[in-house]
């Protein structure tokens, strides 16, 4: 089971700053996990997800390698992270 926390503020677009201005919506809209060059998990997220969403999904590891995580937010920022796994 893969467990990952995608660090992101997840602004819903409904909050106001201390000057009363609406804070624009900026949430993770897509999360992808690749293993061995293949997509093993993909999710489309929305404003109903909390700050720093915690995702959990199954992946069958047949060989050592890297899990590569990518998430894209409403502003187009692309965040990447990776974790090495060892199969013994």
């Amino acid at each position: 089971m893969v467990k990952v926390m995608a660090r992101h503020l997840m602004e819903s677009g409904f909050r106001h700053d201390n000057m009363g201005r609406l804070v624009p919506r900026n949430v993770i809209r897509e999360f992808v996990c690749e293993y061995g060059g293949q997509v093993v998990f993909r999710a489309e997220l929305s404003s109903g997800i909390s700050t720093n969403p915690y995702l959990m999904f199954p992946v069958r590891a047949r060989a050592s390698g890297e899990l590569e995580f990518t998430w894209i937010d409403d502003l187009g920022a692309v965040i990447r992270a990776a974790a090495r796994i060892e199969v013994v």
Side-chain angles (χ1 to χ4, degrees), residues 8-17 21-29 45-53 73-75:
H8 196 277
L9 291 177
M10 301 293 276
E11 284 293 348
S12 68
F14 298 112
R15 194 175 66 82
H16 292 82
D17 66 13
R21 297 174 296 213
L22 194 62
V23 177
R25 177 187 143 116
N26 185 23
V27 300
I28 296 173
R29 62 178 177 191
L45 307 177
S46 67
S47 61
I49 304 296
S50 69
T51 297
N52 300 325
D73 69 17
D74 284 337
L75 299 179

Side-chain angles (χ1 to χ4, degrees), residues 12-86:
S12 68
F14 298 112
R15 194 175 66 82
H16 292 82
D17 66 13
N18 58 2
M19 301 294 285
R21 297 174 296 213
L22 194 62
V23 177
R25 177 187 143 116
N26 185 23
V27 300
I28 296 173
R29 62 178 177 191
E30 183 178 21
F31 177 89
V32 177
C33 175
E34 293 182 51
Y35 171 59
Q38 294 185 353
V39 173
V40 294
F41 180 79
R42 179 185 305 272
E44 292 181 15
L45 307 177
S46 67
S47 61
I49 304 296
S50 69
T51 297
N52 300 325
Y54 178 77
L55 304 165
M56 186 169 66
F57 50 91
V59 172
R60 183 168 299 207
R62 299 187 189 279
S64 299
E66 278 200 346
L67 291 169
E68 298 175 1
F69 310 102
T70 305
W71 52 100
I72 303 167
D73 69 17
D74 284 337
L75 299 179
V78 177
I79 301 98
R80 289 186 166 77
R84 178 129 182 104
I85 57 173
E86 294 293 328

